[in-house]
Amino acid sequence: MEILYRVRAETPADHRARFTVDVDGVRSPSLDLVVPSWVPGSYVVVNYTRGFRDFRARRGPDGTELPVERVDKARWRIRTEGASRVRAEYTVYGHQLVTEGFDLTPDHLFINAALCLPYVDGHLADPVSLEVEAPTDWKVVTELEDVPDSRHRYRARNYDELVDSPIDVGRPVLLTVNPGGIPHRISLCGTGGNYEVRRLEEDVSKVVAASIALVGDSPLKRYTLFYHLTDTPDGGLEHATSASCVVNRNCFQPGEAYRRFLALTAHEYLHLYNVKRIRPKVLGPFDYTRENYTRLLWWMEGTTDYFTYLVLRRSALYSTEQFLRQRAELVKTYLETPGRNRISLEESSLISWIDLYQRFEETPNQSVSYYLKGDLVSMCLDLEIRHRTEAHASLETVLRRLWTDYGRPGIGLEEDELLAVVNRATGLDLAPFFDRYVRGTQELDLAAFARLAGLDLAPRAKRPDERDEPESSDLGVAVEDSGGLPRVRHSFEGRTGHEGGLTPGDEIVAINGAKVTYAGFEKALEQVPPGSTAELTVFRRGYLQKISVVMGKPLPRKYAFTPMDSPSDLARAVYESWIGEPWRPERETS
Ligand SMILES: [Zn+2]
């Protein structure tokens, strides 16, 4: 069957694009066109067809109209009445600049195929083509293969490849760098942006080079990094030969935001290995109509995140201090998540569809992100391997082994196969580690693992030159702004607010009779000594109530990894192989 999609950027100002799907070689009495209910890489079911309208079908490109029935939210059934060529036509409203978006504005057309191009049911494996019609001064940027002698026509081996190849049409700033001799395009779409071309090119090249060095190989002929410059928080979506990122247009000057940008870039880039090629068997070919369950997302995302920061350290884009500080920030977030041992990494992976992507008020008490815990467990696994092999093997060895055995051939990991690969690659038996921290819910003794690399992990003591800032008593809640009042978003189990009965939705009006505002909430907590009983006045479901809470001790503001005074030779060797530089005990690590 031949399937050709056409998209016309008809009225960019009102965000409507016109689509046709030509299907040639039809032999069935009906044809189902189906829009995916999720996008690979974003593990949540979403109703993408809200913006569809005027769906029609006809015989051939210009023939009589054929009957169409909408079978469900995402499926249209065309009665073919003996036609061998069928054309479907429809319009889609696209005004969502997110990583898996479909966005049409007077500036550009950005397409993730899953959001606007339905597949022909039963023909996911058939080759497809796509033709783009856009203003003449717009250029098309995509990793899809050009159809020779055509204007803006591209083809893919199958529907999965089409979905895996985002397309941006517009007037992007297009840069090309060649780390490892492989052309990498940087496509900057959108207005503004405080980037400096030279630095951006250099730093992206460093990320790419360090990633290739980590795995020891690259499968790429070419790659494109799409950066959509906007004003929202950043995010990214990985693809086999590209990545689609949405970033704040002002993130490019050196500092915290730029380090986050580099981390996003490294994370999405590493996915070309981990998840796009080294992947769970169930993730491709996909079932686009429902959840595709895997227990391995912790490795696909958390371990990718762990390697992200290792790559940034190896490329010297992060100093050792910045690397260890970032680790310590993760530790703090992790230790302040009450649900960290309520659910295993495998279960947290499995229920991503209703958990990580559907967070709600109780999530922190019953669950933990497989990015966060997956990263820290990967770090501990890495330190354990380095320690037990006297720094002859590491998690990098495991990644390379996965690449050789599963990446190149693209055969997919069975759900229970990862441990065997880890054991094979390292020569160790890591089943007890997996039983405790991957399949089980035993508390991760982070300080004990840090000592394997000669580092103490503890709440950070103040340096003498630091100001003595007043410390807030702990109430154990996360609040959000509700018309100027702090409204409880999360009430953390095991902390004082929860024990006193503070519950999500409570709007805190006063503490000990004194008015409280959202802006002044932290200051208000400084006025109440730890251990004292405070009377909180709250609106609960619109009704004024009083609650007594015993204020908790302040939580550590920060954690830090600091070098031990006299670590063993083995611990030094672990540190040096891990950090990639000689042991320097005089270092102040945070
Ligand atoms: Zn990811």
Side-chain angles (χ1 to χ4, degrees):
M1 198 173 252
E2 277 180 42
I3 302 161
L4 167 64
Y5 299 92
R6 275 197 192 83
V7 53
R8 195 165 52 190
E10 197 166 61
T11 50
D14 61 11
H15 317 300
R16 285 195 200 105
R18 188 73 186 148
F19 291 85
T20 62
V21 188
D22 286 331
V23 186
D24 201 347
V26 181
R27 275 187 288 277
S28 50
S30 69
L31 208 58
D32 278 13
L33 264 56
V34 185
V35 176
S37 291
W38 67 286
V39 173
S42 180
Y43 306 100
V44 62
V45 169
V46 178
N47 299 316
Y48 289 121
T49 48
R50 285 187 311 187
F52 277 59
R53 70 183 206 189
D54 303 335
F55 198 105
R56 304 264 188 281
R58 60 180 71 251
R59 187 181 288 270
D62 307 303
T64 50
E65 196 157 333
L66 294 170
V68 177
E69 180 195 356
R70 190 155 185 178
V71 179
D72 61 31
K73 66 177 184 181
R75 179 183 296 262
W76 286 263
R77 182 162 297 155
I78 302 166
R79 270 202 275 132
T80 55
E81 299 185 338
S84 64
R85 295 175 71 194
V86 170
R87 166 172 287 189
E89 305 168 341
Y90 55 94
T91 297
V92 185
Y93 180 85
H95 190 209
Q96 211 181 6
L97 189 55
V98 291
T99 54
E100 74 283 20
F102 168 49
D103 195 49
L104 174 59
T105 70
D107 297 321
H108 82 151
L109 167 67
F110 175 65
I111 294 178
N112 181 310
L115 276 75
C116 52
L117 304 178
Y119 61 87
V120 180
D121 203 7
H123 295 271
L124 275 170
D126 292 15
V128 294
S129 318
L130 167 67
E131 196 172 282
V132 181
E133 253 180 69
T136 48
D137 63 332
W138 286 15
K139 62 185 161 201
V140 181
V141 185
T142 179
E143 282 299 327
L144 284 171
E145 188 193 343
D146 277 305
V147 173
D149 305 321
S150 71
R151 180 170 161 73
H152 296 339
R153 193 182 278 200
Y154 304 89
R155 62 185 168 208
R157 283 193 303 274
N158 50 43
Y159 185 80
D160 285 352
E161 188 179 286
L162 182 68
V163 167
D164 206 18
S165 310
I167 303 141
D168 193 78
V169 193
R171 291 177 293 257
V173 172
L174 208 52
L175 312 171
T176 304
V177 290
N178 290 287
I182 302 162
H184 285 67
R185 295 187 295 179
I186 302 167
S187 178
L188 296 152
C189 333
T191 42
N194 63 350
Y195 56 87
E196 286 166 30
V197 168
R198 171 83 62 88
R199 179 168 53 224
L200 185 62
E201 288 180 339
E202 280 176 8
D203 290 353
V204 167
S205 299
K206 284 180 190 169
V207 166
V208 169
S211 303
I212 296 173
L214 182 78
V215 184
D217 190 16
S218 174
L220 296 174
K221 290 196 178 69
R222 201 176 69 167
Y223 188 88
T224 300
L225 281 157
F226 292 96
Y227 295 112
H228 296 281
L229 311 184
T230 181
D231 59 352
T232 53
D234 47 9
L237 189 69
E238 67 276 10
H239 299 284
T241 50
S242 60
S244 154
C245 302
V246 170
V247 298
N248 191 292
R249 61 170 58 84
N250 294 320
C251 72
F252 296 94
Q253 288 302 315
E256 188 56 41
Y258 188 59
R259 280 197 294 279
R260 274 208 315 277
F261 162 82
L262 293 172
L264 176 69
T265 301
H267 178 101
E268 302 309 337
Y269 191 77
L270 284 167
H271 269 318
L272 82 88
Y273 300 100
N274 207 27
V275 91
K276 294 315 303 190
R277 290 177 177 81
I278 302 165
R279 61 174 173 78
K281 219 164 207 166
V282 301
L283 291 185
F286 306 100
D287 182 341
Y288 289 103
T289 64
R290 58 165 187 86
E291 295 84 353
N292 291 213
Y293 291 104
T294 172
R295 295 176 191 279
L296 290 166
L297 285 184
W298 72 272
W299 177 274
M300 298 300 145
E301 292 298 348
T303 310
T304 296
D305 239 5
Y306 172 62
F307 282 129
T308 291
Y309 292 95
L310 218 50
V311 156
L312 293 172
R313 173 65 211 103
R314 295 284 149 78
S315 59
L317 289 165
Y318 272 43
S319 65
T320 298
E321 290 76 9
Q322 285 162 341
F323 172 76
L324 290 175
R325 195 179 308 143
Q326 190 274 338
R327 301 282 90 201
E329 283 163 9
L330 280 192
V331 167
K332 177 174 156 66
T333 309
Y334 177 70
L335 293 177
E336 290 179 4
T337 304
R340 65 185 181 278
N341 297 323
R342 289 227 172 267
I343 184 169
S344 71
L345 272 179
E346 290 199 343
E347 187 181 352
S348 152
S349 302
L350 193 75
I351 65 164
S352 164
W353 305 85
I354 57 155
D355 189 53
L356 188 86
Y357 285 87
Q358 307 267 350
R359 290 176 61 83
F360 78 122
E361 61 189 41
E362 183 65 354
T363 302
N365 290 334
Q366 61 186 27
S367 181
V368 61
S369 154
Y370 53 77
Y371 283 78
L372 172 64
K373 185 169 177 179
D375 182 335
L376 291 173
V377 166
S378 300
M379 177 176 84
C380 294
L381 179 59
D382 194 8
L383 294 174
E384 167 111 354
I385 295 170
R386 288 178 202 269
H387 172 78
R388 284 170 59 185
T389 61
E390 299 184 344
H392 290 298
S394 68
L395 211 59
E396 299 169 54
T397 321
V398 174
L399 181 64
R400 286 191 208 110
R401 186 61 178 259
L402 278 167
W403 176 245
T404 320
D405 293 0
Y406 295 85
R408 280 295 202 181
I411 52 180
L413 274 167
E414 297 291 352
E415 287 295 285
D416 57 359
E417 221 172 358
L418 180 63
L419 170 62
V421 183
V422 175
N423 286 345
R424 233 175 22 240
T426 59
L428 302 172
D429 176 14
L430 286 151
F433 184 97
F434 271 60
D435 285 342
R436 284 183 206 121
Y437 310 121
V438 176
R439 302 168 183 150
T441 56
Q442 196 166 313
E443 178 77 280
L444 193 59
D445 189 345
L446 287 154
F449 284 104
R451 283 194 292 275
L452 300 180
L455 297 170
D456 278 322
L457 169 64
R460 181 188 158 181
K462 270 199 201 110
R463 289 199 307 258
D465 58 334
E466 279 184 313
R467 276 196 300 139
D468 214 15
E469 287 174 20
E471 290 191 293
S472 301
S473 291
D474 179 51
L475 197 51
V477 293
V479 295
E480 61 199 356
D481 190 357
S482 168
L485 291 177
R487 179 168 56 200
V488 176
R489 195 171 72 231
H490 302 295
S491 183
F492 298 111
E493 209 168 341
R495 284 165 61 188
T496 57
H498 194 269
E499 277 163 21
L502 262 186
T503 207
D506 285 352
E507 291 173 323
I508 303 171
V509 179
I511 299 180
N512 289 336
K515 179 180 171 178
V516 172
T517 63
Y518 175 75
F521 187 57
E522 282 299 314
K523 277 262 168 282
L525 294 180
E526 285 169 14
Q527 310 303 318
V528 197
S532 70
T533 301
E535 188 184 72
L536 269 58
T537 313
V538 303
F539 273 120
R540 175 170 298 170
R541 293 188 165 166
Y543 201 79
L544 205 59
Q545 305 209 3
K546 286 192 179 357
I547 296 171
S548 286
V549 176
V550 179
M551 302 301 285
K553 280 200 302 221
L555 296 187
R557 275 181 198 277
K558 285 182 178 173
Y559 285 78
F561 290 94
T562 44
M564 290 160 61
D565 287 337
S566 44
S568 65
D569 288 348
L570 175 57
R572 285 182 192 211
V574 167
Y575 174 94
E576 291 177 354
S577 81
W578 180 45
I579 300 284
E581 67 172 16
W583 173 263
R584 278 188 288 161
E586 72 278 11
R587 180 186 301 285
E588 164 66 61
T589 55
S590 63

